Amino acid sequence: PWRCLRRESLSFFFSREIKDGREKQIWYLKISKLALAFAIIHSKPPGKSSKEYTEYLAKTVSEQDFGWKWKVEVLEAEVLRLRQELLLNRISPRFCLENRKQDTSAETLLGQEPVNPVTYSSQLEDSGCDVCNDSAFDSLGIASDFHQSEHNVNTSKHWLERVPPLNFCHSSKEQSLTAPVHFLQRLLEIRKLSEGGILQADFSELENDSFTICSSVSQLLDGLTIFYNSPKFPSPSFLTEGVNVLISLITDTKLSNHVLKKCFKKMEEFKKNLIQIILRNRSVNRFQALNTVSEMLGLLGRNNILRNSLISLLLSEVRQFAEQLLQAHQVQSVYDITQYENMFLLCMILEQLLQNETEESNISSSDYGGEEKIKFLKNLDQIILHLSDEFPLFSLYLWRVSVLLNSGPMQID
């Protein structure tokens, strides 16, 4: 009993101390606010009311805070740039050494005028990654070979001119894409040169600096999301470059493992954002923009790991909408016609991904989709039966997806 009493006494004592400490903090805060109010009243210039002077001071402080935030962002970007340079130097010292000597020795090595870094803000088309035309996205699920020309020994004399230095002069919106794009382009270039035997590279360094690769890929995905949220046509060339670099990364046999291992959650977030962009767009002239986003999703499906998770995401969205549509149909309530129209894009992407999965992997479609596939197929026949008269096209898509999910392995001779 004495021990229990002592324990309760100590507990009461400490709780009382904590409570007293909090009360003192609240009291000091009130006194500070009161002192600040008196100071503002006494120091206000003649001809201004206390309210006007307070608003002026608040505006001044907020502007200073914005200035500091901007300086912090600039310094963080510079730190990331230096980390990128350091990582590239660790992977391939020769590559970085030759790029540092670009301005002084490129003319001797290449027999051409040295590359001027300042001009890269207006010469993104020659930025180290083959760039397709602004509107040259292939049909859904089938992407262009962004690096068509193969390197050989002779190309070692001109590979320097294809890779821009990490020096940019762009607007903030463009910078959100160009900064990570240039770093990743150089990484891809090192990969190609090392694969051709032109350059030695140690890509195990990527494991030792996951922050740099994650930050760069995250910046690229965030930049793409910004542009897909408010697209402009024709698409700017640096947006096309960003797409090309991303697809090259996730389809490269060596680099994709590093990227997905470190940035899988970010890639998942990016896919979810793209799906929501499609579903939530209510603009009258939205279909050109939505087609671009759907093509991006199809391109992401070129990576097997991303494809499987994307199929699960799409199955979930289509299933939920089908259930909502059935409920609205049964009670004769109004349904969202815009979302109904946008849902067809998701159905087309899903069908294409399932077809690609079956054709490329030569396995049964029942081996992927997991829990979402089971949920999708459950009661699907009843949903199709009830919706087929009122929504024949949507019901047809549901049936086609179900056939692909239930299909056996493709027989390849």
Side-chain angles (χ1 to χ4, degrees), residues 264 268 271-272 274-275 294 296-316 346 349-350 353:
F264 185 76
E268 289 294 290
K271 289 184 294 184
K272 291 177 181 178
L274 294 183
I275 291 174
S294 65
M296 180 73 252
L297 285 170
L299 294 175
L300 291 175
R302 297 184 70 197
N303 180 281
N304 291 334
I305 297 176
L306 294 179
R307 180 195 300 162
N308 290 337
S309 62
L310 181 55
I311 287 174
S312 294
L313 287 173
L314 292 172
L315 283 174
S316 176
L346 297 190
I349 300 168
L350 179 58
L353 292 175

Side-chain angles (χ1 to χ4, degrees), residues 284-304:
V284 175
N285 301 318
R286 65 187 181 276
F287 293 104
Q288 185 180 10
L290 294 186
N291 282 332
T292 304
V293 179
S294 65
E295 286 163 356
M296 180 73 252
L297 285 170
L299 294 175
L300 291 175
R302 297 184 70 197
N303 180 281
N304 291 334

Side-chain angles (χ1 to χ4, degrees), residues 301-342:
R302 297 184 70 197
N303 180 281
N304 291 334
I305 297 176
L306 294 179
R307 180 195 300 162
N308 290 337
S309 62
L310 181 55
I311 287 174
S312 294
L313 287 173
L314 292 172
L315 283 174
S316 176
E317 291 291 343
V318 174
R319 174 184 59 81
Q320 292 178 33
F321 180 78
E323 292 173 351
Q324 294 171 6
L325 188 63
L326 175 61
Q327 185 178 5
H329 176 65
Q330 288 175 337
V331 298
Q332 297 297 308
S333 63
V334 178
Y335 65 94
D336 191 336
I337 183 63
T338 303
Q339 190 175 17
Y340 175 75
E341 294 173 347
N342 294 344

Side-chain angles (χ1 to χ4, degrees), residues 124-260:
L124 292 172
E125 293 78 12
D126 186 22
S127 57
C129 182
D130 295 339
V131 179
C132 56
N133 294 331
D134 290 338
S135 60
F137 284 101
D138 283 351
S139 59
L140 186 61
I142 304 174
S144 301
D145 183 2
F146 299 121
H147 301 281
Q148 294 178 355
S149 57
E150 293 294 333
H151 284 274
N152 50 45
V153 176
N154 293 331
T155 60
S156 62
K157 293 184 178 181
H158 66 67
W159 56 268
L160 282 174
E161 67 177 332
R162 302 187 62 230
V163 186
L166 293 179
N167 184 16
F168 332 105
C169 297
H170 304 293
S171 65
S172 58
K173 190 173 182 181
E174 185 175 336
Q175 177 77 9
S176 64
L177 270 180
T178 54
V181 163
H182 284 312
F183 163 68
L184 296 172
Q185 282 175 338
R186 299 178 83 184
L187 189 63
L188 287 165
E189 193 70 15
I190 292 175
R191 163 72 172 137
K192 291 181 67 177
L193 292 170
S194 64
E195 190 177 28
I198 300 171
L199 197 68
Q200 289 186 345
D202 181 13
F203 288 99
S204 63
E205 290 293 337
L206 292 174
E207 294 290 339
N208 301 326
D209 191 1
S210 60
F211 173 82
T212 301
I213 190 71
C214 279
S215 298
S216 302
V217 173
S218 295
Q219 278 190 356
L220 174 58
L221 297 179
D222 290 340
L224 289 173
T225 303
I226 290 172
F227 280 99
Y228 283 129
N229 266 313
S230 55
K232 295 181 180 179
F233 296 98
S235 301
S237 58
F238 53 85
L239 175 62
T240 308
E241 279 191 81
V243 174
N244 292 353
V245 168
L246 178 60
I247 302 307
S248 298
L249 274 176
I250 66 173
T251 54
D252 186 275
T253 54
K254 183 181 288 289
L255 295 180
S256 62
N257 293 329
H258 295 285
V259 172
L260 294 179

Side-chain angles (χ1 to χ4, degrees), residues 48-60:
K48 274 193 175 183
S49 67
S50 299
K51 181 180 179 182
E52 291 174 342
Y53 187 53
T54 303
E55 291 175 350
Y56 165 76
L57 291 176
K59 182 180 179 182
T60 302

